[in-house]
Amino acid sequence: MDDGLHRPRHRGRHRVRGAAGVTDGNEVAKAQKAAPRGAAPTVSWILDRSLPAGVLYEDQQCLVFRDAATQAPVHFLVIPEKPIPCISQVEEEDRKLLGHLLLVAKKTAKAGGLGDGYRFVINDGELGAQCVYHLHIHVLGGRQLQWPPG
């Protein structure tokens, strides 16, 4: 079945190390220590392939990989190749890119067996508990998610 997804060149289950891979459960504390000071090194290393990641999908505009700090049975990130620090800093010119990211997230969720539902999360700034300053969409699923989330 062709789901419209381009499969990654490199497959494998690799753990991402560094700030994004810390699983101590204190995301708020990490967000308070993080600062929007240029490109997030861990994300840059994943994008240029110097840091292995469990890549699920890639194209010219984005990359999808498993989150090392999983919060659900299925948890992956969709990130643009373009270095946008946070959702509050997107511009009108990013409209098509944002739509593309959401469509890729939806297709990857479907391909990953999340037909019964999933959640998209975009953290923004310190109060939004953003600890990696490169725009990314969390896709979580594989269990009943609770509300409210935070």
Side-chain angles (χ1 to χ4, degrees), residues 71-88:
Q71 302 298 313
V74 177
H75 185 179
F76 58 86
L77 303 175
V78 181
I79 63 171
E81 292 277 346
K82 179 180 179 181
I84 302 170
C86 50
I87 192 71
S88 60

Side-chain angles (χ1 to χ4, degrees), residues 43-58:
V43 173
S44 296
W45 297 329
I46 291 170
L47 286 170
D48 73 11
R49 302 302 193 275
S50 60
L51 182 66
V55 175
L56 302 172
Y57 171 83
E58 63 185 324

